[in-house]
Coordinates of all heavy atoms in Angstrom, one line a residue:
M1 N -22.2 146.1 253.6 CA -21.3 145.8 254.7 C -20.6 147.1 255.2 O -20.1 147.9 254.4 CB -20.2 144.8 254.2 CG -19.4 144.2 255.2 SD -18.1 143.1 254.6 CE -17.0 144.2 253.8
A2 N -20.6 147.2 256.5 CA -20.0 148.4 257.0 C -18.5 148.3 256.9 O -17.9 147.2 257.2 CB -20.5 148.5 258.5
V3 N -17.9 149.4 256.6 CA -16.5 149.4 256.5 C -15.9 150.4 257.5 O -16.5 151.5 257.7 CB -16.1 149.9 255.1 CG1 -14.5 150.2 255.0 CG2 -16.4 148.9 254.1
D4 N -14.8 150.0 258.2 CA -14.2 150.8 259.2 C -13.6 152.0 258.5 O -12.6 151.9 257.7 CB -13.2 150.1 260.0 CG -12.6 150.9 261.0 OD1 -13.0 152.1 261.2 OD2 -11.5 150.5 261.6
R5 N -14.1 153.2 258.7 CA -13.6 154.4 258.0 C -12.7 155.2 259.0 O -12.4 156.3 258.7 CB -14.7 155.2 257.4 CG -15.6 155.8 258.3 CD -16.7 156.6 257.6 NE -16.2 157.8 257.0 CZ -16.9 158.7 256.3 NH1 -18.2 158.4 256.1 NH2 -16.5 159.9 256.0
S6 N -12.5 154.6 260.2 CA -11.8 155.4 261.2 C -10.3 155.7 260.9 O -9.7 156.5 261.4 CB -12.0 154.9 262.5 OG -11.5 153.6 262.7
T7 N -9.8 154.7 260.1 CA -8.4 154.7 259.9 C -8.0 154.6 258.5 O -8.3 153.6 257.8 CB -7.7 153.6 260.7 OG1 -8.0 153.6 261.9 CG2 -6.1 153.8 260.6
P8 N -7.3 155.6 257.9 CA -6.9 155.4 256.5 C -5.9 154.2 256.3 O -5.3 153.9 257.3 CB -6.2 156.7 256.2 CG -6.6 157.7 257.2 CD -7.0 156.9 258.4
P9 N -5.9 153.6 255.1 CA -5.1 152.4 255.0 C -3.7 152.8 254.7 O -3.1 152.8 253.6 CB -5.7 151.7 253.7 CG -6.3 152.9 253.0 CD -6.7 153.9 254.0
S10 N -3.0 153.3 255.8 CA -1.7 153.9 255.6 C -0.6 152.8 255.5 O 0.6 153.2 255.5 CB -1.3 154.8 256.8 OG -1.4 154.0 258.0
E11 N -1.0 151.6 255.3 CA 0.0 150.6 255.1 C -0.1 149.8 253.8 O 0.5 148.7 253.6 CB -0.1 149.5 256.3 CG -0.1 150.3 257.6 CD 0.4 149.5 258.8 OE1 0.1 148.3 258.7 OE2 0.9 150.1 259.7
W12 N -0.8 150.4 252.9 CA -0.8 149.9 251.5 C 0.6 149.8 251.0 O 1.4 150.8 251.2 CB -1.6 150.8 250.6 CG -3.1 150.6 250.8 CD1 -3.8 149.8 251.7 CD2 -4.1 151.3 250.1 NE1 -5.1 150.0 251.6 CE2 -5.4 150.9 250.7 CE3 -4.1 152.3 249.1 CZ2 -6.6 151.4 250.2 CZ3 -5.3 152.8 248.7 CH2 -6.5 152.4 249.2
P13 N 0.9 148.7 250.4 CA 2.3 148.6 249.9 C 2.7 149.7 248.9 O 2.0 150.1 248.1 CB 2.3 147.3 249.1 CG 1.2 146.5 249.7 CD 0.2 147.5 250.2
G14 N 3.8 150.3 249.2 CA 4.3 151.5 248.5 C 3.8 152.8 248.9 O 4.2 153.8 248.5
L15 N 2.8 152.8 249.8 CA 2.2 154.0 250.4 C 2.2 154.1 251.8 O 1.3 154.6 252.4 CB 0.7 154.2 249.8 CG 0.5 154.4 248.4 CD1 -0.9 154.4 247.9 CD2 1.2 155.7 247.8
E16 N 3.3 153.4 252.4 CA 3.3 153.4 253.9 C 3.6 154.8 254.3 O 4.7 155.4 254.0 CB 4.4 152.5 254.4 CG 4.1 151.0 254.0 CD 4.7 150.5 252.7 OE1 5.1 151.4 251.9 OE2 4.8 149.3 252.5
T17 N 2.7 155.4 255.0 CA 2.9 156.8 255.5 C 3.2 156.7 257.0 O 2.6 156.1 257.7 CB 1.7 157.6 255.2 OG1 0.5 156.8 255.3 CG2 1.7 158.1 253.7
S18 N 4.1 157.6 257.4 CA 4.3 157.8 258.8 C 3.8 159.1 259.3 O 3.5 160.0 258.5 CB 5.8 157.7 259.1 OG 6.4 158.8 258.4
G19 N 3.7 159.2 260.6 CA 3.2 160.5 261.3 C 1.8 160.9 260.8 O 1.5 162.0 260.6
L20 N 0.9 159.9 260.6 CA -0.4 160.2 260.1 C -1.1 161.2 261.0 O -1.1 161.1 262.2 CB -1.2 158.9 260.1 CG -2.4 158.8 259.1 CD1 -2.0 158.9 257.6 CD2 -3.2 157.6 259.3
A21 N -1.6 162.3 260.3 CA -2.4 163.3 261.1 C -3.7 163.5 260.5 O -3.9 163.5 259.3 CB -1.6 164.6 261.0
K22 N -4.7 163.8 261.3 CA -6.1 163.9 261.0 C -6.4 165.4 260.8 O -6.1 166.3 261.6 CB -6.9 163.4 262.0 CG -8.4 163.5 261.7 CD -9.2 162.8 262.9 CE -10.7 162.9 262.6 NZ -11.5 162.2 263.6
L23 N -6.9 165.7 259.6 CA -7.4 167.1 259.3 C -8.9 167.2 259.6 O -9.4 168.1 260.2 CB -7.1 167.6 258.0 CG -5.6 167.8 257.7 CD1 -5.3 168.1 256.2 CD2 -5.0 168.9 258.5
T24 N -9.7 166.3 259.0 CA -11.0 166.1 259.3 C -11.4 164.7 259.4 O -10.5 163.8 259.2 CB -12.0 166.7 258.1 OG1 -11.9 165.9 257.0 CG2 -11.4 168.1 257.6
D25 N -12.6 164.3 259.5 CA -13.1 162.9 259.6 C -12.7 162.2 258.3 O -12.5 161.0 258.2 CB -14.6 162.7 259.9 CG -14.8 163.0 261.4 OD1 -14.0 163.0 262.2 OD2 -16.1 163.2 261.7
D26 N -12.7 163.0 257.2 CA -12.5 162.5 255.9 C -11.2 162.7 255.2 O -10.9 162.2 254.2 CB -13.6 163.0 254.9 CG -15.0 162.7 255.3 OD1 -15.2 161.6 256.0 OD2 -15.9 163.4 255.1
I27 N -10.3 163.4 255.9 CA -9.0 163.8 255.3 C -7.8 163.7 256.3 O -7.9 164.2 257.4 CB -9.1 165.3 254.8 CG1 -10.2 165.5 253.8 CG2 -7.7 165.7 254.2 CD1 -10.5 167.0 253.5
Y28 N -6.9 162.9 256.0 CA -5.7 162.7 256.7 C -4.5 163.0 255.8 O -4.6 162.9 254.6 CB -5.6 161.3 257.2 CG -6.6 160.9 258.3 CD1 -7.9 160.7 257.9 CD2 -6.1 160.6 259.5 CE1 -8.8 160.3 259.0 CE2 -7.0 160.1 260.5 CZ -8.3 160.0 260.2 OH -9.2 159.6 261.2
F29 N -3.3 163.2 256.5 CA -2.1 163.2 255.7 C -1.0 162.4 256.5 O -1.1 162.4 257.6 CB -1.7 164.6 255.2 CG -1.2 165.5 256.4 CD1 0.1 165.5 256.8 CD2 -2.1 166.3 257.0 CE1 0.6 166.3 257.9 CE2 -1.8 167.1 258.1 CZ -0.4 167.2 258.5
G30 N 0.0 162.0 255.7 CA 1.2 161.4 256.3 C 2.3 161.6 255.4 O 2.3 162.4 254.5
W31 N 3.4 160.9 255.8 CA 4.7 161.2 255.1 C 5.3 159.9 254.6 O 5.4 158.9 255.3 CB 5.7 161.9 256.1 CG 5.1 163.1 256.7 CD1 4.4 163.1 257.9 CD2 5.2 164.4 256.2 NE1 4.0 164.5 258.1 CE2 4.4 165.2 257.1 CE3 5.7 165.0 255.1 CZ2 4.3 166.6 256.9 CZ3 5.5 166.3 254.9 CH2 4.8 167.2 255.8
L32 N 5.8 160.0 253.3 CA 6.4 158.9 252.7 C 7.9 159.1 252.9 O 8.4 160.2 252.9 CB 6.1 158.9 251.2 CG 4.7 158.6 250.8 CD1 4.5 158.9 249.3 CD2 4.3 157.1 251.1
D33 N 8.6 158.0 253.0 CA 10.1 158.1 253.1 C 10.8 158.9 252.1 O 11.7 159.6 252.3 CB 10.7 156.6 253.1 CG 10.5 155.9 254.4 OD1 10.1 156.6 255.4 OD2 10.7 154.7 254.5
H34 N 10.3 158.7 250.8 CA 11.1 159.2 249.7 C 10.5 160.6 249.2 O 10.9 161.0 248.1 CB 11.1 158.2 248.6 CG 9.8 157.7 248.2 ND1 9.1 156.8 248.9 CD2 9.0 158.0 247.1 CE1 7.9 156.5 248.3 NE2 7.9 157.3 247.3
E35 N 9.5 161.1 249.8 CA 8.9 162.3 249.3 C 9.0 163.4 250.4 O 8.8 163.2 251.6 CB 7.4 162.1 249.1 CG 7.1 161.3 247.8 CD 7.0 162.1 246.6 OE1 7.0 163.4 246.7 OE2 6.9 161.4 245.5
T36 N 9.3 164.7 249.8 CA 9.3 165.8 250.7 C 8.0 166.2 251.1 O 7.7 166.5 252.3 CB 10.0 167.0 250.1 OG1 11.4 166.6 249.7 CG2 10.2 168.2 251.0
N37 N 7.1 166.2 250.2 CA 5.7 166.7 250.5 C 4.8 165.6 251.0 O 5.1 164.4 250.7 CB 5.1 167.2 249.2 CG 5.6 168.7 248.9 OD1 6.6 169.1 249.5 ND2 5.0 169.3 248.0
P38 N 3.8 165.9 251.7 CA 2.9 164.9 252.4 C 2.1 164.2 251.4 O 1.7 164.7 250.3 CB 2.1 165.7 253.4 CG 2.1 167.1 252.9 CD 3.4 167.3 252.2
L39 N 1.7 163.0 251.8 CA 0.6 162.2 251.0 C -0.7 162.4 251.7 O -0.8 162.2 252.9 CB 1.0 160.7 251.0 CG 0.1 159.8 250.3 CD1 0.4 159.9 248.7 CD2 0.2 158.4 250.7
F40 N -1.8 162.6 251.0 CA -3.1 162.8 251.5 C -3.9 161.6 251.3 O -3.8 160.9 250.3 CB -3.7 164.0 250.9 CG -3.3 165.3 251.6 CD1 -2.1 165.9 251.4 CD2 -4.1 166.0 252.5 CE1 -1.7 167.0 252.0 CE2 -3.8 167.1 253.1 CZ -2.5 167.7 252.9
W41 N -4.8 161.4 252.3 CA -5.8 160.4 252.2 C -7.1 161.1 252.3 O -7.3 161.9 253.2 CB -5.7 159.3 253.3 CG -4.5 158.5 253.3 CD1 -3.4 158.7 254.0 CD2 -4.2 157.3 252.5 NE1 -2.5 157.7 253.7 CE2 -3.0 156.9 252.8 CE3 -5.1 156.6 251.5 CZ2 -2.4 155.7 252.3 CZ3 -4.5 155.5 250.9 CH2 -3.2 155.1 251.4
H42 N -8.1 160.8 251.5 CA -9.4 161.3 251.7 C -10.5 160.2 251.5 O -10.3 159.3 250.6 CB -9.8 162.6 250.9 CG -10.0 162.3 249.4 ND1 -9.0 162.1 248.5 CD2 -11.1 162.2 248.7 CE1 -9.5 161.9 247.3 NE2 -10.8 161.9 247.3
W43 N -11.6 160.2 252.3 CA -12.7 159.3 252.1 C -13.5 159.8 250.9 O -14.1 160.9 251.1 CB -13.4 159.2 253.4 CG -14.6 158.3 253.3 CD1 -15.9 158.6 253.0 CD2 -14.6 156.9 253.7 NE1 -16.6 157.5 253.0 CE2 -15.9 156.4 253.5 CE3 -13.6 156.0 254.0 CZ2 -16.2 155.1 253.8 CZ3 -14.0 154.7 254.3 CH2 -15.3 154.3 254.2
C44 N -13.4 159.1 249.8 CA -13.9 159.8 248.6 C -15.5 159.4 248.4 O -15.8 158.2 248.2 CB -13.2 159.1 247.4 SG -13.7 159.9 245.9
A45 N -16.3 160.4 248.4 CA -17.7 160.2 248.3 C -18.1 159.6 247.1 O -19.1 159.0 246.9 CB -18.4 161.6 248.6
A46 N -17.3 159.8 246.0 CA -17.6 159.4 244.7 C -17.5 157.8 244.6 O -18.1 157.2 243.7 CB -16.6 159.9 243.6
L47 N -16.9 157.2 245.7 CA -16.8 155.8 245.7 C -17.8 155.1 246.6 O -17.8 153.8 246.6 CB -15.3 155.3 246.2 CG -14.2 155.6 245.3 CD1 -12.9 155.2 246.0 CD2 -14.3 154.9 244.0
E48 N -18.6 155.9 247.2 CA -19.5 155.3 248.3 C -20.6 154.4 247.7 O -21.0 153.4 248.3 CB -20.1 156.4 249.1 CG -19.1 156.9 250.1 CD -19.7 157.8 251.1 OE1 -20.7 158.5 250.8 OE2 -19.2 157.7 252.3
N49 N -20.8 154.5 246.4 CA -21.8 153.7 245.8 C -21.3 152.7 244.8 O -22.0 152.0 244.1 CB -22.9 154.6 245.0 CG -23.7 155.4 245.9 OD1 -24.1 155.0 247.0 ND2 -23.9 156.7 245.6
V50 N -20.0 152.5 244.9 CA -19.3 151.5 244.0 C -19.3 150.2 244.8 O -18.9 150.2 245.9 CB -17.9 152.0 243.7 CG1 -17.1 150.9 242.9 CG2 -17.9 153.3 242.9
P51 N -19.8 149.1 244.2 CA -19.8 147.8 244.9 C -18.4 147.4 245.2 O -17.4 147.7 244.5 CB -20.3 146.8 243.8 CG -21.1 147.7 242.8 CD -20.4 149.1 242.8
A52 N -18.2 146.7 246.3 CA -16.9 146.3 246.8 C -16.1 145.5 245.7 O -14.9 145.7 245.7 CB -17.0 145.6 248.1
E53 N -16.7 144.7 244.9 CA -16.0 143.9 244.0 C -15.4 144.7 242.9 O -14.6 144.2 242.1 CB -16.9 142.7 243.5 CG -18.2 143.1 242.8 CD -19.4 143.3 243.7 OE1 -19.1 143.6 244.9 OE2 -20.5 143.1 243.2
H54 N -15.8 145.9 242.8 CA -15.3 146.8 241.7 C -14.2 147.7 242.2 O -13.7 148.6 241.5 CB -16.4 147.6 241.0 CG -17.4 146.8 240.3 ND1 -18.6 147.3 239.8 CD2 -17.4 145.5 239.9 CE1 -19.2 146.3 239.2 NE2 -18.5 145.3 239.3
K55 N -13.9 147.5 243.5 CA -12.9 148.4 244.1 C -11.6 147.5 244.4 O -11.7 146.4 244.7 CB -13.4 149.1 245.3 CG -14.4 150.1 245.0 CD -14.8 151.0 246.2 CE -15.7 150.3 247.2 NZ -16.3 151.2 248.1
V56 N -10.5 148.3 244.4 CA -9.2 147.6 244.7 C -9.2 147.3 246.2 O -8.7 146.3 246.6 CB -8.1 148.4 244.2 CG1 -6.7 147.8 244.6 CG2 -8.2 148.8 242.8
H57 N -9.7 148.2 247.0 CA -9.6 148.1 248.4 C -11.0 148.3 249.1 O -11.8 148.9 248.5 CB -8.7 149.1 249.0 CG -7.3 149.0 248.4 ND1 -6.4 148.0 249.0 CD2 -6.7 149.7 247.5 CE1 -5.2 148.2 248.2 NE2 -5.3 149.2 247.4
D58 N -11.2 147.7 250.2 CA -12.4 148.0 251.0 C -12.4 149.5 251.3 O -11.4 150.2 251.5 CB -12.4 147.3 252.2 CG -12.8 145.7 252.0 OD1 -13.3 145.5 250.9 OD2 -12.6 144.9 252.9
G59 N -13.6 150.1 251.4 CA -13.8 151.3 251.8 C -13.5 152.4 250.6 O -13.4 152.0 249.5
C60 N -13.5 153.6 251.0 CA -13.4 154.7 250.0 C -12.2 155.6 250.2 O -12.2 156.7 249.7 CB -14.6 155.5 250.1 SG -16.2 154.5 249.9
W61 N -11.2 155.0 250.8 CA -9.9 155.9 251.0 C -9.2 156.0 249.7 O -9.0 155.0 249.0 CB -9.1 155.4 252.0 CG -9.6 155.5 253.4 CD1 -10.1 154.5 254.2 CD2 -9.8 156.7 254.2 NE1 -10.5 155.0 255.4 CE2 -10.4 156.3 255.4 CE3 -9.5 158.1 253.9 CZ2 -10.7 157.3 256.4 CZ3 -9.9 159.0 254.9 CH2 -10.4 158.6 256.1
V62 N -8.8 157.2 249.3 CA -8.1 157.4 248.1 C -6.8 158.2 248.5 O -6.9 159.2 249.3 CB -8.9 158.3 247.1 CG1 -8.1 158.7 245.9 CG2 -10.1 157.5 246.6
A63 N -5.7 157.8 247.9 CA -4.4 158.5 248.2 C -4.1 159.5 247.1 O -4.3 159.2 246.0 CB -3.3 157.5 248.3
A64 N -3.5 160.6 247.5 CA -3.1 161.6 246.5 C -1.8 162.3 247.1 O -1.8 162.8 248.2 CB -4.2 162.7 246.4
G65 N -0.9 162.4 246.2 CA 0.4 163.1 246.6 C 0.3 164.5 246.4 O -0.7 165.1 245.7
T66 N 1.2 165.3 246.8 CA 1.2 166.8 246.7 C 2.4 167.3 246.2 O 2.9 168.5 246.5 CB 0.9 167.5 248.1 OG1 1.9 167.0 249.0 CG2 -0.5 167.0 248.6
S67 N 3.2 166.5 245.4 CA 4.4 166.9 244.8 C 4.4 168.2 244.0 O 5.4 168.9 243.9 CB 5.1 165.8 244.1 OG 4.3 165.4 243.0
A68 N 3.3 168.5 243.5 CA 3.2 169.8 242.7 C 2.9 171.0 243.6 O 2.9 172.1 243.0 CB 2.1 169.6 241.6
H69 N 2.7 170.8 244.8 CA 2.4 171.9 245.7 C 3.6 172.4 246.4 O 4.6 171.8 246.6 CB 1.4 171.4 246.8 CG 0.0 171.3 246.2 ND1 -0.4 170.3 245.4 CD2 -1.1 172.1 246.3 CE1 -1.7 170.4 245.1 NE2 -2.2 171.5 245.6
Q70 N 3.5 173.7 246.7 CA 4.6 174.3 247.5 C 4.3 174.0 249.0 O 3.3 174.5 249.5 CB 4.8 175.8 247.3 CG 5.9 176.4 248.0 CD 5.8 177.9 248.0 OE1 4.9 178.5 247.4 NE2 6.7 178.6 248.7
M71 N 5.3 173.5 249.7 CA 5.1 173.4 251.2 C 5.7 174.6 251.8 O 6.8 174.7 251.9 CB 5.7 172.1 251.7 CG 5.5 171.8 253.1 SD 5.8 170.1 253.7 CE 7.5 169.9 253.3
V72 N 4.8 175.4 252.3 CA 5.3 176.7 252.9 C 5.8 176.4 254.3 O 6.8 177.0 254.7 CB 4.0 177.6 253.0 CG1 4.4 179.0 253.7 CG2 3.5 177.9 251.6
S73 N 5.2 175.5 254.9 CA 5.6 175.1 256.3 C 5.2 173.6 256.5 O 4.2 173.1 256.1 CB 4.9 175.9 257.3 OG 4.9 175.4 258.6
R74 N 6.2 172.9 257.2 CA 5.9 171.4 257.4 C 5.1 171.3 258.7 O 4.2 170.4 258.8 CB 7.2 170.7 257.5 CG 7.1 169.2 257.7 CD 8.4 168.5 257.8 NE 8.3 167.2 258.2 CZ 8.4 166.0 257.5 NH1 8.7 166.2 256.2 NH2 8.3 164.8 258.0
S75 N 5.4 172.1 259.7 CA 4.7 172.0 261.0 C 4.6 173.3 261.6 O 5.5 173.9 262.0 CB 5.5 171.0 261.9 OG 4.8 170.8 263.1
P76 N 3.3 173.8 261.8 CA 2.1 173.3 261.2 C 2.1 173.2 259.7 O 2.7 174.1 259.1 CB 1.0 174.1 261.7 CG 1.7 175.4 261.9 CD 3.1 175.1 262.3
L77 N 1.4 172.2 259.1 CA 1.4 172.0 257.6 C 0.8 173.2 256.9 O -0.4 173.6 257.4 CB 0.7 170.7 257.3 CG 0.8 170.4 255.8 CD1 2.2 170.2 255.3 CD2 0.0 169.1 255.5
H78 N 1.4 173.7 256.0 CA 0.8 174.8 255.1 C 1.3 174.5 253.7 O 2.4 174.5 253.4 CB 1.4 176.1 255.6 CG 0.8 177.3 254.8 ND1 1.2 178.6 255.1 CD2 0.0 177.4 253.7 CE1 0.5 179.4 254.3 NE2 -0.1 178.7 253.4
L79 N 0.3 174.3 252.8 CA 0.5 174.0 251.4 C -0.2 175.1 250.6 O -1.2 175.5 251.0 CB -0.1 172.6 251.0 CG 0.6 171.4 251.6 CD1 -0.2 170.2 251.2 CD2 2.0 171.2 251.2
E80 N 0.5 175.4 249.5 CA -0.1 176.3 248.5 C 0.1 175.7 247.1 O 1.1 175.2 246.9 CB 0.5 177.7 248.6 CG 0.1 178.5 249.9 CD -1.3 178.8 250.0 OE1 -2.0 178.8 249.0 OE2 -1.7 179.1 251.2
P81 N -0.8 176.0 246.1 CA -2.1 176.5 246.3 C -3.1 175.4 247.0 O -2.7 174.5 247.6 CB -2.5 176.8 244.9 CG -1.9 175.8 244.1 CD -0.5 175.5 244.8
S82 N -4.4 175.7 246.8 CA -5.3 174.8 247.4 C -5.3 173.4 246.8 O -4.7 173.2 245.7 CB -6.8 175.3 247.2 OG -7.0 175.4 245.7
L83 N -5.8 172.4 247.5 CA -5.9 171.0 247.0 C -7.3 170.8 246.4 O -8.3 171.2 247.0 CB -5.6 170.0 248.1 CG -4.3 170.2 248.9 CD1 -4.3 169.2 250.1 CD2 -3.2 169.8 247.9
L84 N -7.2 170.1 245.3 CA -8.5 169.8 244.6 C -8.5 168.4 244.1 O -7.5 168.0 243.3 CB -8.8 170.8 243.3 CG -10.0 170.4 242.5 CD1 -11.3 170.3 243.3 CD2 -10.0 171.3 241.3
W85 N -9.4 167.5 244.5 CA -9.4 166.1 244.1 C -10.6 166.0 243.1 O -11.8 166.1 243.6 CB -9.5 165.2 245.3 CG -8.2 165.2 246.1 CD1 -7.0 165.1 245.6 CD2 -8.1 165.5 247.5 NE1 -6.1 165.3 246.7 CE2 -6.8 165.5 247.8 CE3 -9.0 165.8 248.5 CZ2 -6.3 165.7 249.1 CZ3 -8.6 166.1 249.8 CH2 -7.2 166.0 250.1
Q86 N -10.2 165.8 241.9 CA -11.2 165.7 240.8 C -12.2 164.6 240.9 O -13.4 164.7 240.5 CB -10.5 165.6 239.4 CG -9.4 166.6 239.1 CD -10.0 167.9 238.7 OE1 -11.3 168.1 238.5 NE2 -9.2 168.9 238.5
C87 N -11.8 163.5 241.6 CA -12.7 162.3 241.7 C -13.9 162.7 242.4 O -15.0 162.2 242.0 CB -11.9 161.2 242.5 SG -11.0 161.8 244.0
C88 N -14.0 163.6 243.4 CA -15.2 163.9 244.1 C -15.4 165.4 244.2 O -16.4 165.8 244.7 CB -15.2 163.2 245.5 SG -13.7 163.7 246.4
G89 N -14.5 166.2 243.8 CA -14.6 167.6 243.8 C -14.3 168.2 245.1 O -14.5 169.4 245.4
T90 N -13.7 167.4 246.0 CA -13.3 168.0 247.3 C -12.1 169.0 247.1 O -11.2 168.8 246.3 CB -12.7 166.8 248.3 OG1 -13.8 165.9 248.5 CG2 -12.2 167.4 249.6
H91 N -12.3 170.2 247.7 CA -11.5 171.3 247.4 C -11.2 172.1 248.7 O -12.2 172.4 249.4 CB -12.1 172.1 246.4 CG -11.3 173.3 245.9 ND1 -11.8 174.4 245.2 CD2 -9.9 173.5 245.9 CE1 -10.9 175.2 244.9 NE2 -9.7 174.7 245.3
G92 N -10.0 172.3 249.0 CA -9.7 173.1 250.2 C -8.3 173.5 250.3 O -7.4 173.1 249.6
F93 N -8.0 174.3 251.3 CA -6.7 174.8 251.6 C -6.2 174.0 252.9 O -7.0 173.7 253.7 CB -6.6 176.3 251.9 CG -6.9 177.1 250.6 CD1 -8.2 177.5 250.3 CD2 -5.9 177.5 249.9 CE1 -8.6 178.3 249.3 CE2 -6.2 178.4 248.8 CZ -7.5 178.7 248.4
V94 N -4.9 173.8 252.9 CA -4.3 173.4 254.2 C -3.3 174.5 254.7 O -2.4 174.9 254.1 CB -3.5 172.1 254.0 CG1 -2.9 171.7 255.3 CG2 -4.4 171.0 253.4
R95 N -3.8 175.2 255.8 CA -3.0 176.3 256.3 C -3.0 176.2 257.8 O -4.0 175.9 258.4 CB -3.6 177.6 255.9 CG -3.4 177.9 254.4 CD -4.2 179.1 254.0 NE -3.9 179.5 252.6 CZ -4.8 180.2 251.8 NH1 -5.8 180.8 252.4 NH2 -4.5 180.5 250.5
N96 N -1.8 176.4 258.4 CA -1.8 176.4 259.9 C -2.2 175.0 260.4 O -2.8 174.9 261.5 CB -2.5 177.6 260.5 CG -2.0 177.8 261.9 OD1 -0.9 177.6 262.2 ND2 -2.9 178.3 262.8
G97 N -1.9 173.9 259.7 CA -2.2 172.6 260.1 C -3.8 172.3 260.1 O -4.2 171.3 260.7
E98 N -4.6 173.2 259.4 CA -6.0 172.9 259.3 C -6.5 172.9 257.9 O -6.0 173.5 257.0 CB -6.7 174.1 260.1 CG -6.4 174.1 261.6 CD -7.1 175.2 262.3 OE1 -7.9 175.9 261.7 OE2 -6.9 175.4 263.5
W99 N -7.6 172.1 257.7 CA -8.3 172.1 256.4 C -9.3 173.2 256.4 O -10.1 173.3 257.3 CB -8.9 170.7 256.3 CG -9.8 170.6 255.0 CD1 -11.1 170.8 254.9 CD2 -9.2 170.2 253.7 NE1 -11.5 170.6 253.5 CE2 -10.3 170.2 252.8 CE3 -7.9 169.9 253.2 CZ2 -10.2 169.9 251.5 CZ3 -7.8 169.6 251.9 CH2 -8.9 169.6 251.0
I100 N -9.2 173.9 255.4 CA -10.2 175.1 255.2 C -10.9 174.8 253.9 O -10.3 175.0 252.8 CB -9.4 176.5 255.1 CG1 -8.5 176.6 256.4 CG2 -10.3 177.6 254.9 CD1 -7.5 177.6 256.3
P101 N -12.1 174.5 253.9 CA -12.9 174.2 252.6 C -12.9 175.4 251.7 O -13.0 176.5 252.2 CB -14.3 173.9 253.2 CG -14.1 173.4 254.6 CD -12.9 174.2 255.1
A102 N -12.6 175.1 250.4 CA -12.6 176.2 249.5 C -14.0 176.4 248.7 O -14.7 175.5 248.7 CB -11.6 176.0 248.5
Ligands
ZN1 ZN1 -12.4 161.9 245.9

């Protein structure tokens, strides 16, 4: 079954993010009310072969906070050090509001 991957599920309870911004087709970030640093969404390639009944949500969006990162600039977004998601090995920097693969 095809899943709409055009929009991250930014309205999951407890993870409602505002100001959703797109970095790549697979990576977005937004802002939680109670967090200084942004919340990231990525379309996780590691989930693409997992049957729907084994997943909590449709699709492959995975949320990840960045509270351990230093936010050098909020706008344009600049975080240090690089972001690494162990689930699929996606790794990159966010500098000057852009995703830079590492
Ligand atoms: Zn992943």
Side-chain angles (χ1 to χ4, degrees):
M1 189 180 73
V3 172
D4 178 11
R5 63 183 286 181
S6 62
T7 309
S10 58
E11 309 203 331
W12 285 358
L15 293 174
E16 296 93 341
T17 38
S18 61
L20 202 65
K22 179 178 181 175
L23 289 176
T24 74
D25 283 346
D26 296 332
I27 302 170
Y28 290 70
F29 68 89
W31 305 92
L32 295 168
D33 282 347
H34 55 281
E35 286 275 350
T36 302
N37 284 14
L39 180 82
F40 277 74
W41 296 98
H42 72 280
W43 182 267
C44 189
L47 290 178
E48 286 193 324
N49 295 320
V50 176
E53 60 267 30
H54 293 168
K55 290 190 284 197
V56 178
H57 301 278
D58 281 346
C60 303
W61 292 108
V62 172
T66 57
S67 57
H69 285 75
Q70 182 193 358
M71 186 162 61
V72 179
S73 164
R74 181 180 170 108
S75 183
L77 185 63
H78 181 176
L79 295 173
E80 293 291 343
S82 61
L83 299 173
L84 171 62
W85 294 307
Q86 303 283 356
C87 43
C88 53
T90 298
H91 186 200
F93 293 90
V94 181
R95 290 173 176 162
N96 200 29
E98 296 181 2
W99 178 261
I100 303 160

